C-alpha cells in the first residue's frame, strides 16, 4: 500500500493530506473488516449450545453471513449510484446508529427452542433477529468506503482495488486472533462488550472518511466515470463468470469446513482456518504483484486435487493432522485459482460496487446450495467432490481436446473406467481387491496426459469419485443425512458386525451374525466400549451393588442403544437424544435390537439434554450417564460447570455422574476434574489398565470419568486401582457456559500421543 501513496507527485505540503486521507480509509476498512469477521465465530459460539454443538451450526451461519454480505453490498451499490456524496454519508451513518440499538451482541430474547425439523431455517431467523442489522451495516463498509475513496483526489483513487486486500487482511487477522488470543482468555460476555466498543469507534472513523471524501473531491465526483474512462460496461458473460468464480470457492468453504469440523470438533479454530485461508487468497490475488503468481497456481492445482482424489478412493489418512493438512492445502490452491481468475476479470473502478455485488451474489449462491440445498438433496457429502470438479472447470482453457488422438484417448480412458466400475458393482468387489488399485492407477495415468485440460480432467476425476462411492455403498445398510450430519449403518466385510457411524466416527457396534453367517436372535451381546468387565460396565455394577435393588438411570446420547441392555428387572431407564434419526435407527430392530430386546418401553426424550433435563424432577436418578463425547463435534455445553450443577440436582443422594470421555482428538479428563471441583465433587478416571482390546471382536477399552459428592458414593470403584482420583490442573480455567478451550484440549491430546510415541 505504500507503493500507492508514493505515486503522489505533488509538493510536500500536498503529500501530508494525502497520507492522512489514505491512512484514515485504510484504518476504517481494516477495523470494519476485523469487526465483521470477529463477530462470526464469537456469535456462532454463543448459539452453538442451542443445537447440541452440531458442526452444521457453522455451515448455516456461513449461509447467513454470505446472504447478509450480499445485502450489504447491494445497499452500498444502490446508495453509491442513487445517493452519492453527502447523502450517502448521512444515510450510512444513520444505519450504523440504528444498529447500535442491537448492541451488545446477544441471542435475541424470547426466541423459542429449536424445532425437531427445519433447524437450519430456525437458525437463520435467530441470526437475523439477533445480529442482522449490525452485520448488514458492517458488510456495506468495504465496497462503500472504496467507492468513496475512488471519488477523492488521491492519486491511488483511480485503482482502489488494493483496499480490498486491506479489508481481507483485517478479516484474516481478526479470524486468526479469535481462537488464539481471544477465546482461550476472555469470556463471551466481555468479548461482546469489547466488540461493541469497536463498533462505536468505527462509526467515528466512517464519519471521518465521509468528510475527507467531501473535502477532497476528485474527477470521479464531478465527471461521469464511464465517459472519463471511455470503457464499456461489463457484459452478461462477464457477470456470469464473476458469479460462478465466486460461488465455487464459497461452496468449497462450507464443504471443507463441515468435513473437518465433523471429524474433529465444532470449535472456532476449525471454523476460522478455512475461512482465514479463503480471505488470504483475496489478499494475494488483489495485490499489484501477487506473491504467488496466478500462472503457477493454475499449473499445480491438478496435482493437489489428484492427491485428494486418491485419498478419497484409497481410504482416509490415519493421521488427523496430515488429513487436515491435505484438505486445507487442496482447498487453498483451488480457491486461490478461482479468485485469481476473478481478479484477472475485474472491471474498471467505475463498476467496482457492482463487481463486488455480483461476487457476493456468487458467494450467497454457493453458500445456499452447499449449506441448505445439498443436505436435503444428497444422503452423503456429495457436494464436496462435486465442487472439486467445478473448481477444475474454473480453470482457463475450458474446452475438449481438438486433436483426434486426444479425443480417442479420453474416450478410451473413460470407457475403460466405466467398464471396470460396472464389473466392481456386478461382482460386489471390495475395496481391498486389486482391481480397485488397477483402476485408480489407470485413471491417474491418463490424468497425467490431460490434467491441464479442464473438461477431460474433470471427467476423469468424476470416474474416480464414482468408484469410491460404489465401494462405499457396497457395505452400507442404511444411510440418512440431516442437520446433525450423515448417519450410516455399515456392515463389516465378513458381515458379522454392524456399526453406526456419524461421519467417520463410530457410535456403536452390534454382532448381528455368527461365524457361520446365521442371524443372531434374542438379547444382543454388548461389545465395543460397553463390553462386560470394561469401565462402563463397572460403573453400572457399582451402582447396582451399592443400591442393592432396582436403579433409576438416565443416558444422554442414544447411539445404537447398547446401554439399554444394562437394565435389569425393576430398573427404569430414560434416554435423552437430540437427533430424531438416531432414535429411528436405534429403535428399528432390523438395524439394531438393543432397545427392542432390552428396553422397548424406555422413554426416549428428543431434544437437547440440558433443556429437557430441566423438566425432570430433582433427585430422580441413581446414575446419569453422558455418552455424548466420543464423537467429533462434542456438545461442549454438556461439559461445563453449569451442566454438572444441573446433573447434581437431578441425582438422588449418593448418586453418580458418569461420562464416556473416549475421544480421538481431545483430552477431556482434566476438563472433567475442573468442573467437578468447581461443584464440590470428586472425579475418578478409568483408563483400562485391567482390560485388553480385541479388534477382531470389536472390543474397545473406553475412557470413563465418574463424579460423586463423597468417596463412599463410588462404591466398589473407590477400592479399584484402575479408578484413580483425577486432581484438577490449577493452570487450566474451569469450563463454563461462556468459556471453553477446546484448542487446549486438542493440544493436550496431541502432546500425550507424542509422549507415548504413537
Amino acid at each position: 500500500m505504500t507503493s500507492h501513496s508514493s505515486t503522489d507527485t505533488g509538493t510536500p505540503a500536498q503529500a501530508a493530506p494525502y497520507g492522512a486521507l489514505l491512512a484514515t480509509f485504510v484504518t476504517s476498512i481494516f477495523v470494519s473488516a476485523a469487526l465483521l469477521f470477529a463477530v462470526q465465530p464469537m456469535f456462532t459460539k454463543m448459539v452453538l449450545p442451542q443445537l447440541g454443538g452440531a458442526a452444521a451450526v457453522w455451515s448455516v451461519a456461513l449461509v447467513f453471513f454470505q446472504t447478509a454480505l450480499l445485502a450489504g453490498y447491494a445497499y452500498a451499490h444502490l446508495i453509491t449510484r442513487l445517493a452519492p456524496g453527502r447523502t450517502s454519508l448521512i444515510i450510512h451513518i444513520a444505519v450504523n446508529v440504528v444498529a447500535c440499538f442491537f448492541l451488545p451482541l446477544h441471542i435475541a430474547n424470547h426466541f423459542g427452542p429449536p424445532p425437531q425439523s427445519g433447524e437450519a431455517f430456525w437458525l437463520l431467523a435467530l441470526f437475523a433477529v439477533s445480529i442482522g442489522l449490525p452485520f448488514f451495516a458492517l458488510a456495506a463498509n468495504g465496497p462503500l468506503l472504496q467507492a468513496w475513496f475512488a471519488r477523492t483526489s488521491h492519486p491511488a483513487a483511480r485503482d482502489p482495488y488494493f483496499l480490498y486486500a486491506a479489508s481481507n487482511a483485517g478479516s484474516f487477522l481478526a479470524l486468526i486472533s479469535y481462537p488464539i488470543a481471544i477465546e482461550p482468555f476472555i469470556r463471551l460476555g466481555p468479548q461482546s462488550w469489547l466488540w461493541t466498543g469497536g463498533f462505536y469507534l468505527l462509526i467515528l472513523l466512517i464519519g471521518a472518511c465521509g468528510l475527507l471524501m467531501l473535502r477532497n473531491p476528485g474527477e470521479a465526483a464531478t465527471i461521469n466515470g464511464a465517459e472519463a474512462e471511455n470503457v464499456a460496461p461489463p457484459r452478461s458473460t462477464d457477470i456470469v463468470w464473476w458469479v460462478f468464480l465466486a460461488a465455487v470457492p464459497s461452496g468449497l468453504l462450507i464443504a471443507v469446513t463441515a468435513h473437518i469440523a465433523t471429524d474433529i470438533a465444532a470449535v472456532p479454530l476449525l471454523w476460522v482456518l478455512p475461512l482465514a485461508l479463503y480471505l488470504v487468497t483475496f489478499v494475494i490475488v488483489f495485490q499489484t504483484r501477487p506473491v504467488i503468481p496466478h500462472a503457477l497456481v493454475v499449473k499445480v492445482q491438478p496435482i493437489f486435487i489428484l492427491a485428494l482424489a486418491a485419498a478419497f478412493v484409497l481410504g482416509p489418512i490415519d493421521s488427523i493432522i496430515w488429513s487436515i493438512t491435505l484438505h486445507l492445502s487442496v482447498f487453498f490452491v483451488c480457491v486461490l485459482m478461482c479468485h485469481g481468475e476473478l481478479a484477472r476479470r475485474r472491471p474498471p473502478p467505475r463498476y467496482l460496487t457492482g463487481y463486488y455485488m455480483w461476487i457476493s451474489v456468487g458467494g450467497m449462491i454457493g453458500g445456499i446450495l452447499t449449506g441448505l440445498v445439498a443436505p436435503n438433496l444428497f444422503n452423503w457429502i456429495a457436494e464436496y467432490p462435486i465442487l472439486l470438479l467445478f473448481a477444475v472447470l474454473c480453470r482457463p482453457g475450458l474446452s475438449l481436446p481438438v486433436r483426434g488422438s486426444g479425443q480417442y484417448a479420453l474416450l478410451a480412458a473413460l470407457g475403460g473406467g466405466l467398464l471396470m466400475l460396472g464389473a466392481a458393482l456386478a461382482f460386489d468387489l471390495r475395496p481391498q481387491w486389486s482391481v480397485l488399485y488397477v483402476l485408480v492407477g489407470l485413471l491417474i495415468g491418463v490424468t497425467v496426459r490431460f490434467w491441464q485440460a479442464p473438461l477431460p480432467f474433470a471427467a476423469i476425476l468424476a470416474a474416480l469419485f464414482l468408484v469410491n462411492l460404489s465401494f462405499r455403498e457396497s457395505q452400507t445398510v442404511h444411510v440418512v443425512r440431516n442437520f446433525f450430519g450423515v448417519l450410516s449403518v455399515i456392515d463389516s466385510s465378513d458381515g458379522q458386525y454392524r456399526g453406526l457411524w456419524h461421519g467417520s466416527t463410530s457410535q456403536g457396534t452390534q454382532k448381528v451374525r455368527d461365524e457361520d453367517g446365521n442371524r443372531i436372535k434374542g438379547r444382543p451381546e454388548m461389545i465395543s466400549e460397553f463390553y462386560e468387565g470394561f469401565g462402563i460396565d463397572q460403573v453400572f455394577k457399582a451402582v447396582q451393588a451399592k443400591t442393592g435393588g432396582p436403579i433409576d438411570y438416565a443416558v444422554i446420547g442414544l447411539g445404537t442403544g447398547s446401554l439399554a441392555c444394562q437394565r435389569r428387572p425393576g430398573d427404569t431407564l430414560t434416554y435423552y437424544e437430540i437427533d430424531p434419526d438416531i432414535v429411528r435407527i436405534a429403535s428399528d430392530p432390523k438395524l439394531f435390537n438393543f432397545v427392542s430386546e432390552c428396553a422397548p418401553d424406555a422413554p426416549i426424550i428428543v431434544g437437547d439434554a440440558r433443556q429437557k433435563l430441566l423438566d425432570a424432577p430433582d433427585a430422580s436418578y441413581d446414575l446419569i450417564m453422558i455418552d455424548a463425547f466420543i464423537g467429533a463435534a462434542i456438545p461442549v455445553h454438556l461439559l461445563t460447570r453449569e451442566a454438572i450443577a444441573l446433573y447434581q440436582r437431578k441425582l438422588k443422594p449418593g448418586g453418580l455422574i458418569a461420562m464416556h470421555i473416549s475421544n480421538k482428538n481431545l483430552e477431556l479428563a482434566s476438563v472433567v476434574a475442573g468442573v467437578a471441583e468447581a461443584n464440590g465433587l470428586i472425579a475418578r478416571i478409568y483408563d483400562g489398565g485391567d482390560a485388553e482390546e480385541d479388534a477382531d471382536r470389536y472390543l474397545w477399552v473406553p475412557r470413563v470419568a465418574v463424579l460423586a459428592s463423597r468417596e463412599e458414593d463410588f462404591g466398589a470403584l473407590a477400592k479399584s486401582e484402575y479408578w484413580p482420583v483425577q486432581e484438577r490442573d490449577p493452570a487450566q480455567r474451569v469450563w463454563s457456559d461462556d468459556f471453553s478451550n477446546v484448542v487446549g484440549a486438542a493440544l493436550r491430546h496431541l502432546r500425550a500421543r507424542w509422549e507415548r510415541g504413537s
Side-chain angles (χ1 to χ4, degrees):
M1 283 173 288
T2 55
S3 62
H4 291 278
S5 59
S6 66
T7 59
D8 178 24
T9 57
T11 65
Q14 293 173 319
Y18 282 152
L21 186 152
L22 180 62
T24 303
F25 272 89
V26 169
T27 301
S28 301
I29 288 175
F30 185 92
V31 171
S32 177
L35 290 173
L36 183 70
F37 281 84
V39 72
Q40 297 184 26
M42 178 172 62
F43 190 75
T44 305
K45 185 176 179 179
M46 291 182 187
V47 174
L48 197 60
Q50 302 287 323
L51 287 154
V57 171
W58 178 247
S59 297
V60 176
L62 283 177
V63 174
F64 168 79
F65 295 137
Q66 289 164 338
T67 304
L69 198 67
L70 171 60
Y73 280 18
Y75 154 79
H77 179 66
L78 288 174
I79 66 169
T80 300
R81 289 287 175 264
L82 303 179
R86 186 185 305 273
T87 306
S88 66
L89 172 61
I90 295 172
I91 292 173
H92 193 52
I93 291 293
V95 168
N96 280 269
V97 170
V98 173
C100 291
F101 289 98
F102 291 83
L103 303 178
L105 298 175
H106 62 282
I107 295 176
N109 297 327
H110 310 300
F111 210 86
Q116 291 187 15
S117 62
E119 297 94 341
F121 296 100
W122 177 90
L123 189 57
L124 289 172
L126 176 61
F127 272 90
V129 171
S130 301
I131 63 167
L133 188 56
F135 193 90
F136 167 82
L138 288 171
N141 287 333
L144 185 59
L145 291 177
Q146 288 181 60
W148 287 358
F149 181 77
R151 297 174 63 86
T152 69
S153 58
H154 195 283
R158 290 186 176 275
D159 186 13
Y161 284 103
F162 72 95
L163 291 174
Y164 195 45
S167 171
N168 285 285
S171 305
F172 171 78
L173 290 176
L175 283 170
I176 291 298
S177 299
Y178 186 81
I180 297 174
I182 298 175
E183 184 193 18
F185 306 107
I186 306 175
R187 293 180 292 108
L188 280 172
Q191 286 180 32
S192 179
W193 281 107
L194 285 172
W195 190 92
T196 300
F199 192 88
Y200 293 152
L201 172 64
L202 179 62
I203 295 177
L204 299 178
L205 289 172
I206 291 172
C209 288
L211 292 177
L212 288 171
M213 171 191 65
L214 297 175
R215 292 179 179 178
N216 297 270
E219 290 185 358
T222 56
I223 303 175
N224 184 279
E227 293 177 356
E229 297 172 9
N230 193 27
V231 293
R235 299 169 298 176
S236 58
T237 53
D238 295 326
I239 294 174
V240 169
W241 270 110
W242 295 344
V243 171
F244 182 63
L245 289 169
V248 172
S250 172
L252 267 176
L253 170 63
I254 293 178
V256 76
T257 306
H259 176 81
I260 293 173
T262 300
D263 275 352
I264 303 177
V267 295
L269 175 66
L270 296 178
W271 296 337
V272 305
L273 282 177
L275 184 54
L277 291 174
Y278 178 87
L279 295 173
V280 165
T281 63
F282 278 119
V283 176
I284 293 172
V285 301
F286 280 97
Q287 290 177 329
T288 305
R289 294 181 179 178
V291 294
I292 304 177
H294 182 58
L296 175 63
V297 177
V298 171
K299 288 182 179 179
V300 302
Q301 184 207 19
I303 301 173
F304 281 80
I305 291 183
L306 195 59
L308 183 58
F312 269 123
V313 175
L314 300 179
I317 300 173
D318 290 336
S319 168
I320 197 67
I321 299 298
W322 286 110
S323 178
I324 291 176
T325 301
L326 174 61
H327 284 281
L328 290 183
S329 299
V330 175
F331 167 76
F332 175 73
V333 170
C334 287
V335 174
L336 188 61
M337 198 283 301
C338 293
H339 287 166
E341 284 295 299
L342 198 58
R344 188 172 66 85
R345 297 168 181 265
R346 65 183 181 267
R350 170 71 176 85
Y351 305 105
L352 177 147
T353 55
Y355 172 67
Y356 287 144
M357 185 183 71
W358 286 115
I359 290 177
S360 187
V361 168
M364 184 191 70
I365 291 174
I368 289 176
L369 291 178
T370 307
L372 299 181
V373 176
N376 293 290
L377 189 62
F378 305 115
N379 63 2
W380 64 292
I381 313 295
E383 63 272 18
Y384 192 7
I386 289 174
L387 284 164
L388 289 173
L389 297 179
F390 282 154
V392 172
L393 298 180
C394 289
R395 295 168 56 77
L398 183 62
S399 63
L400 285 168
V402 294
R403 291 180 298 178
S405 60
Q407 293 175 347
Y408 296 147
L410 173 60
L411 291 174
L414 294 180
L418 290 174
L419 285 173
M420 299 185 76
L421 176 60
L425 291 172
F427 295 101
D428 193 25
L429 301 176
R430 302 297 181 184
Q432 62 266 31
W433 284 56
S434 59
V435 66
L436 173 60
Y437 302 101
V438 172
L439 174 57
V440 171
L442 173 64
L443 292 177
I444 289 177
V446 178
T447 300
V448 173
R449 167 68 176 80
F450 286 110
W451 66 7
Q452 293 299 326
L455 198 56
F457 183 40
I460 293 168
L461 285 175
L464 280 171
F465 290 133
L466 285 173
V467 169
N468 175 55
L469 177 61
S470 67
F471 282 116
R472 185 179 62 86
E473 290 192 340
S474 65
Q475 295 173 246
T476 301
V477 178
H478 178 80
V479 63
V480 63
R481 183 178 183 182
N482 61 21
F483 181 82
F484 300 97
V486 178
L487 297 169
S488 304
V489 179
I490 301 176
D491 284 349
S492 61
S493 57
D494 60 11
Q496 292 187 41
Y497 295 90
R498 174 169 294 171
L500 173 61
W501 294 80
H502 181 266
S504 63
T505 303
S506 173
Q507 301 294 309
T509 307
Q510 179 179 347
K511 187 171 183 178
V512 294
R513 297 185 183 277
D514 60 23
E515 286 72 12
D516 297 325
N518 300 315
R519 181 81 180 187
I520 298 175
K521 299 180 180 179
R523 188 181 182 91
E525 176 189 16
M526 287 191 293
I527 55 175
S528 62
E529 292 89 353
F530 309 103
Y531 188 64
E532 184 177 1
F534 287 5
I536 294 174
D537 181 63
Q538 292 179 27
V539 172
F540 278 87
K541 282 184 168 56
V543 174
Q544 291 161 353
K546 185 181 61 166
T547 305
I551 66 170
D552 301 311
Y553 69 100
V555 178
I556 297 175
L558 176 59
T560 58
S562 298
L563 289 176
C565 291
Q566 282 286 357
R567 194 174 82 163
R568 304 173 308 173
D571 291 348
T572 62
L573 161 64
T574 303
Y575 267 113
Y576 293 88
E577 172 57 51
I578 196 171
D579 189 341
D581 284 310
I582 290 269
V583 176
R584 283 187 279 271
I585 290 171
S587 302
D588 185 352
K590 295 179 181 178
L591 298 176
F592 300 95
N593 65 343
F594 292 109
V595 172
S596 61
E597 288 288 337
C598 300
D601 56 342
I604 303 175
I605 299 174
V606 180
D608 179 72
R610 274 188 63 174
Q611 296 296 322
K612 296 301 181 179
L613 265 175
L614 291 171
D615 299 331
D618 291 347
S620 296
Y621 303 113
D622 297 289
L623 170 66
I624 296 177
M625 178 77 202
I626 300 99
D627 188 24
F629 304 123
I630 190 172
I634 69 166
V636 170
H637 68 298
L638 298 182
L639 193 56
T640 63
R641 180 179 58 227
E642 294 84 353
I644 301 301
L646 172 63
Y647 306 150
Q648 277 184 281
R649 294 200 306 272
K650 304 306 173 182
L651 283 180
K652 296 178 182 180
L656 295 181
I657 302 168
M659 299 181 179
H660 184 189
I661 57 172
S662 302
N663 193 282
K664 61 182 180 180
N665 301 306
L666 304 176
E667 185 280 314
L668 299 176
S670 60
V671 176
V672 172
V675 295
E677 182 181 290
N679 285 281
L681 299 175
I682 305 166
R684 288 181 176 273
I685 306 294
Y686 173 84
D687 211 358
D690 58 345
E692 292 186 6
E693 295 187 341
D694 187 342
D696 293 335
R697 299 171 59 201
Y698 286 77
L699 304 183
W700 315 112
V701 177
R703 195 162 203 211
V704 188
V706 174
L707 282 58
S709 299
R710 304 170 302 170
E711 279 291 343
E712 52 265 34
D713 294 338
F714 287 107
L717 302 181
K719 303 174 183 178
S720 173
E721 62 179 299
Y722 304 109
W723 287 89
V725 172
Q726 177 84 22
E727 301 291 345
R728 180 199 166 194
D729 181 356
Q732 292 185 37
R733 182 184 292 186
V734 175
W735 285 19
S736 63
D737 284 350
D738 66 351
F739 174 83
S740 59
N741 185 7
V742 178
V743 175
L747 292 176
R748 291 194 301 273
H749 176 80
L750 285 174
R751 184 167 58 247
R753 287 190 60 181
W754 289 334
E755 290 173 354
R756 293 194 304 265
S758 59

